[in-house]
Amino acid sequence: THQWRGIIEEYRDRLPVTDTTPVVSLREGGTPLVPAQVLSERTGCEVHLKVEGANPTGSFKDRGMTMAITRAKEEGAKAVICASTGNTSASAAAYAVRAGMVCAVLVPQGKIALGKMGQALVHGARILQVEGNFDDCLTLARGLSDNYPVALVNSVNPVRIEGQKTAAFEIVDMLGEAPDIHVLPVGNAGNITAYWKGYTEYARDGVAGRTPRMWGFQASGSAPLVRGEVVKDPSTIATAIRIGNPASWDFALAARDESGGFIDEVTDREILRAYRLLAAQEGVFVEPASAASVAGLLKAAEQGKVDPGQTIVCTVTGNGLKDPDWAVAGAPQPVTVPVDAAAAAERLGLA
Ligand code: F0G
C-alpha cells in the first residue's frame, strides 16, 4: 500500500495532466540516490549516483515515456513511433503494451545493444533497422508522424521533457536542496534539458534555494555540442549516445550557459574506465553511455575543476544488463571445476 506510485501520481501538480487523464504507468521513478564512496574520496566532494537503471525498463526514458504514452492515449492515438539508439524503443514498446497501442521503432542497423533489441522484440514492437545512424532514424520518424496517423514519442515531444524533469525533483526532495553540480551524459540532449527545467522550476517556486551547475559529457567521437557543429558520422562504443545532431541542441546550450556549467567530451577509453570503476568499486552496474557522466567528473577533477566540499550528483542513465558485452570482454574467463570441494577451494585460493 505504500509503494511509489510512478512519477505522474507523485508529481501530478507539476505535470500537464488533468483529473480525467488516463495515466499509463509502470511505476517509474523513485530511483535510488546512492552515495558514491570511491568517487567522493577521489574528488573530496559528496558524490551521489542517481541510478536510473532501476526504472521499469532499465533506463531514465520511462519517466518521459509514461507522460508521452499517457498523452498519446488521451488524444486517442492508436500507434506511436520513435527513433532510438535502444532505450527509448525499449521503453516505448513496454508502455505501448500497457496502453494497448501499436509501437513502431526505427533503430540504426547494427548499432544498438542486444538487450535493448530484445526488449523491443519481446514487447511486440514493429522494428525497422535503418541503414543509417540515429539522426537519420529521427528524420524518418518525424516525417512519418507528420504524414501518417502515428504519434511521435521522441524527446522532441515536449511532454517527454516534462516527465523527465521529475528526476531533478526527486534529487532535491531527497537531499533537501539542489546539488552544487549535476553531471549527465549527453546524446540527443533531451535529458539535460529536462533536468534543467526541473531544477529551475523548483528554484522558482522556492522548493530549492538554488540551481546546480549543469555539466554535460559527450563521447569524443560523437561530440557535436563540444565541436559546435554537426558530426556527420558519429562513432563511440557507447551506442546510446552515438548521435551527431542532437534535437535539443539549443536547450542544452541554454542549460549550460544559464547554470554556469559546461559541456565537454570523454574518450571511449575514459568511458570504459569509469564503467569498470562503477561496477568494481561502487557496486553499480551501468551501461557504457551512463558512465560518461562519471568519466567526465573524474576528468574534471584531474583538471582541477572540482573544488572540494561540494555536493555532486551524477546521473547514471541505464542498466548494465542492457549491454553486457563490455562487462564480459576483457574480463578473466571463469574457471571450470568438477563437483569437488577440494578442487573448488584450491581454485578459489582458499586452500
Ligand atoms: N544515456 C543513455 C543510457 C541513453 O539511452 C541516452 C539516450 C542518453 C544517455 C542520452 O540522453 O539523448 O537525452 O541526451 N538515448 C536515446 C535513445 C537517444 O534512443 O534511447 P539524451
Side-chain angles (χ1 to χ4, degrees), residues 98-137:
R98 299 290 292 194
M101 288 178 198
V102 172
C103 177
V105 308
L106 307 178
V107 299
Q109 184 185 25
K111 297 292 182 189
I112 88 164
L114 183 61
K116 303 173 189 180
M117 179 62 91
Q119 289 180 286
L121 284 166
V122 82
H123 289 306
R126 295 192 191 163
I127 304 169
L128 297 180
Q129 305 200 69
V130 177
E131 294 170 336
N133 59 33
F134 169 84
D135 307 294
D136 301 317
C137 293

Side-chain angles (χ1 to χ4, degrees), residues 277-292:
L277 181 151
L278 280 170
Q281 299 193 53
E282 300 285 4
V284 178
F285 184 26
V286 304
E287 64 169 287
S290 305

